[in-house]
Amino acid sequence: MPLHDTVHTLTQRIRERSAPTRAAYLAQLDFHAQRDRGADRLGCANVAHAFAGMPGNDKFRVVAERARNIGIVTAYNDMLSAHAPLRHYPELIKEEARRHGATAQVAGGVPAMCDGVTQGTPGMELSLFSRDAIAMATAVSLSHDVFDAALMLGVCDKIVPGLLIGALHFGHLPTVFVPAGPMTSGLSNNAKAKVREQAAQGLVGREELLAAESAAYHGEGTCTFYGTANSNQMLLEAMGLHVPGTAFVNPGEALRAELTREAARTVLGAPGAACAPIGRVVDERCIVNAMAALLATGGSTNHLIHWVAVARAAGIVIDWDDFATLSAAVPLLARVYPNGSADVNQFQAAGGPGYVIRELLDAGLMHEDVLTVRPGGLREYTRLPVEDAAAPQAVRLAWTPIGASGDDGVLRPADAPFSATGGLRLLRGNLGRSVIKVSAVPEDRHVIEAPARVFSSQAELQQAFQAGELDRACESHPSHGLVCVVRWQGPQSNGMPELHKLTPPLAVLQGKGYRVALVTDGRMSGASGKVPAAIHVSPEALAGGPLARVRDGDLIRLDAVAGTLDALVDAADWAAREPARRPDDLARADAHGWGRELFAGFRRNALSAEEGACSWL
């Protein structure tokens, strides 16, 4: 299938824009790739320190026999359900490496926090910049410079982008990402959301709410909704950085362990087909493929921040206009919660990432002529891994064609999609630039025009809801509507936390028939649910963005059809307004406690959300 004109034109535009930075990146990659291997290049004391902790046979193999050495960077901890299975991975990898005449070492660990635990708490204000801390920790791990390849063990929200940014700064190394898969299905996402709304109204108590949450989040593996963690896995498959079909196999399955072994085999390369360095794999075509997969599945809006940063790490410059251009051409092929009722296990059963990639390739909406970590290229990612009992003992894997969708309520072909355009949309206007996840919002809510109520924190909004103020505000306007503006939530303000605590009250208001929307310079990811939410507003209020000019009662128009976000205020009045200042007590509170002092440099140096909120550029 010929490449779609939009994909071709967009890729060329990104290539031309990125030419200087990409050339500089590749020159650095080539410099490192041409050096002697670490064990030959380093001094004797350096080498002795590097391998002193290895078993004797491994030490002899890597030093005397010049065996390849894999560096393992792991995000293992047993606080994250998604990362708990990783505890066993290093030994599997080391064992498999030995079978192939290689060695492996745990090069280092990276921090990994659970956003589900920290939602609505001060700890959530460390979340976004934990990505850059993870990238730094990855660099520290690989800085020992004795590795011939790397495996990245991690799954969740900021962890995968952080590992990827760090790995790209060692772009000369072949690198494969190794996930752990989703937990088995528990209480459905729709049922969980209903109990949360009941709790917000005081209809059920803490005991009932905790029982529902515990039934939803009940075991090892990622959460089963299609949020940032599971979007990460979809994007890595589309970029060719996984063993094909690895993303959504549940922990504990025999197939899961075999796929982990296959990751070691893959990064070592097949005879005559070495695994490509990650800095060569991740080029502008690869980034466009990731963008297409995100749009086709209605994935997490967080990736409009994270993948901008990932691209920058490889010398590639993208922005939200690029996502908007591609979204007009890429159809929505998946309905997975929050833009549908299915969970990721149902998504996998219906065909999963392989189905989506095949449909996009066949429609000319992804680049097929790309490098991946596999010799067969991106077509390998359109098949499903299965256990093969007839295969030799050392390799019990085979890949089979996926075929038609197993459930057309979850996955549809590119010629009969859920929507002709992608699940994300860019909004522009006198309030700045922002994004909205339209795939989750009912069509009759794509345009909201209502007066503003301005808040400085999500706690303020929750208090107003509990006091009945938001109901009264909706009732008092002819539109029976309200636009809640929550500012001082951007990267420079408080680290841009996700505002998940806003979802239940806003959903309750919408459920009563009120026309409500959220506008914020903070993040919401998939948690906005069916409520229209213009998020990531840039520039943020603290950086002089227009949200600082909004006042209670201003008429706000959020139009996801036209792609606009405006305060309907006289232009002269708007221009003459003095921007509000962040309250001093809020500034002090956001800077202290829970380790937030240590992140002051991240906040101070952060670029805008549209620039990836990077603190290292």
Side-chain angles (χ1 to χ4, degrees):
M1 172 64 66
L3 197 62
H4 192 286
D5 286 345
T6 298
V7 178
H8 171 77
T9 301
L10 174 63
T11 305
Q12 187 60 29
R13 185 170 82 199
I14 294 171
R15 182 181 291 119
E16 292 171 359
R17 179 198 304 147
S18 307
T21 48
R22 180 64 175 170
Y25 175 81
L26 292 176
Q28 188 76 0
L29 184 155
D30 289 340
F31 169 78
H32 287 96
Q34 290 164 9
R35 301 171 305 152
D36 292 338
R37 62 191 292 272
D40 297 335
R41 173 172 34 80
L42 296 177
C44 293
N46 306 78
V47 173
H49 276 83
F51 306 121
M54 271 187 165
N57 288 344
D58 284 356
K59 189 185 304 185
F60 176 81
R61 182 174 289 140
V62 73
V63 176
E65 296 183 350
R66 307 181 83 245
R68 290 169 294 173
N69 189 32
I70 302 170
I72 303 168
V73 180
T74 179
Y76 164 72
N77 64 46
D78 56 15
M79 169 57 106
L80 274 72
S81 61
H83 289 177
L86 301 178
R87 70 171 71 87
H88 305 300
Y89 282 23
E91 289 309 312
L92 284 177
I93 291 163
K94 290 176 184 180
E95 182 181 288
E96 193 62 33
R98 290 184 188 113
R99 288 183 180 177
H100 298 274
T103 59
Q105 294 175 285
V106 174
V110 303
M113 66 184 292
C114 180
D115 289 358
V117 175
T118 58
Q119 286 297 343
T121 75
M124 186 65 197
E125 295 180 14
L126 277 58
S127 175
L128 176 61
F129 291 128
S130 75
R131 179 199 71 192
D132 292 6
I134 290 162
M136 293 174 181
T138 303
V140 170
S141 301
L142 296 178
S143 68
H144 297 101
D145 205 20
V146 293
F147 306 111
D148 303 290
L151 293 176
M152 299 287 137
L153 279 53
V155 182
C156 283
D157 297 22
K158 264 58 65 182
I159 293 87
V160 164
L163 289 169
L164 185 47
I165 290 167
L168 285 167
H169 282 82
F170 290 77
H172 61 288
L173 294 177
T175 302
V176 174
F177 280 71
V178 188
M183 67 179 69
T184 55
S185 300
L187 181 70
S188 74
N189 290 298
N190 284 334
K192 174 190 67 181
K194 183 177 180 180
V195 177
R196 286 180 175 178
E197 291 174 24
Q198 291 173 328
Q201 298 172 82
L203 300 177
V204 300
R206 181 178 176 84
E207 184 177 347
E208 293 89 346
L209 179 59
L210 180 58
E213 299 287 358
S214 299
Y217 308 114
H218 61 87
E220 291 192 355
T222 58
C223 310
T224 58
F225 65 92
Y226 193 58
T228 310
N230 289 317
S231 297
N232 280 336
Q233 306 314 306
M234 179 71 232
L235 269 59
L236 289 177
E237 295 266 342
M239 295 171 79
L241 294 175
H242 271 171
V243 170
T246 303
F248 299 129
V249 176
N250 301 124
E253 292 189 18
L255 181 59
R256 177 87 267 165
E258 193 54 48
L259 288 167
T260 300
R261 293 181 181 276
E262 183 70 10
R265 296 191 286 265
T266 296
V267 83
L268 291 170
C275 185
I278 189 171
R280 293 286 179 184
V281 173
V282 180
D283 64 6
E284 61 282 345
R285 297 167 300 172
C286 176
I287 292 293
V288 170
N289 283 353
M291 294 163 64
L294 178 71
L295 295 164
T297 55
S300 170
T301 52
N302 278 328
H303 292 311
L304 274 77
I305 301 173
H306 293 321
W307 252 250
V308 172
V310 165
R312 291 293 290 267
I316 299 164
V317 182
I318 61 173
D319 58 32
W320 290 349
D321 286 322
D322 298 329
F323 283 94
T325 296
L326 194 59
S327 186
V330 173
L332 182 67
L333 305 184
R335 284 284 189 200
V336 191
Y337 189 87
N339 74 334
S341 60
D343 67 15
V344 292
N345 292 310
Q346 293 167 289
F347 171 65
Q348 175 73 0
Y355 180 93
V356 174
I357 293 169
R358 184 195 69 201
E359 289 300 305
L360 292 175
L361 284 173
D362 288 351
L365 292 166
M366 288 180 75
H367 293 275
E368 188 165 352
D369 59 334
V370 292
L371 289 173
T372 72
V373 299
R374 304 284 285 193
L378 200 55
R379 276 289 166 184
E380 283 204 52
Y381 292 80
T382 66
R383 295 181 292 161
L384 191 68
V386 294
E387 289 186 84
D388 184 2
Q393 182 66 35
V395 182
R396 290 194 172 275
L397 279 177
W399 278 264
T400 63
I402 287 175
S405 170
D407 184 342
D408 63 9
V410 179
L411 278 175
R412 289 185 182 174
D415 59 3
F418 292 102
S419 168
T421 59
L424 303 173
R425 195 154 298 162
L426 174 64
L427 304 178
R428 291 164 276 208
N430 67 4
L431 288 178
R433 291 161 64 85
S434 69
V435 294
I436 182 173
K437 189 168 182 174
V438 290
S439 59
V441 178
E443 286 190 14
D444 66 345
R445 303 284 168 149
H446 283 191
V447 179
I448 300 290
E449 186 175 309
R453 175 73 187 273
V454 182
F455 301 94
S456 293
S457 69
Q458 61 178 336
E460 278 190 7
L461 189 153
Q462 288 177 294
Q463 290 163 8
F465 172 77
Q466 293 296 338
E469 295 174 16
L470 303 188
D471 289 84
R472 291 192 291 273
C474 290
E475 286 289 347
S476 67
H477 194 266
S479 71
H480 280 196
L482 180 68
V483 175
C484 294
V485 176
V486 184
R487 61 193 180 195
W488 318 120
Q489 305 300 309
Q492 294 180 21
S493 296
N494 62 353
M496 204 180 187
E498 288 186 345
L499 308 175
H500 284 203
K501 294 294 184 181
L502 301 183
T503 305
L506 293 174
V508 168
L509 292 171
Q510 183 165 278
K512 293 179 178 181
Y514 299 134
R515 297 185 64 78
V516 296
L518 173 70
V519 176
T520 181
D521 47 10
R523 295 184 295 130
M524 284 287 279
S525 182
S528 57
K530 299 184 183 303
V531 176
I535 59 178
H536 307 173
V537 175
S538 298
E540 64 177 284
L542 189 67
L547 284 191
R549 298 178 184 270
V550 180
R551 296 175 182 170
D552 284 342
D554 285 345
L555 200 61
I556 304 294
R557 182 177 177 85
L558 184 163
D559 188 337
V561 178
T564 59
L565 180 66
D566 290 291
L568 304 182
V569 177
D570 176 77
D573 178 23
W574 184 253
R577 279 190 186 178
E578 186 72 22
R581 289 186 56 201
R582 179 172 54 159
D584 290 341
D585 58 345
L586 182 65
R588 286 192 296 272
D590 286 345
H592 296 92
W594 287 269
R596 287 179 290 187
E597 300 89 341
L598 299 173
F599 283 67
F602 289 91
R603 294 190 297 271
R604 186 166 53 247
N605 295 324
L607 301 179
S608 71
E610 184 166 8
E611 296 170 297
C614 298
S615 64
W616 40 270
L617 285 173

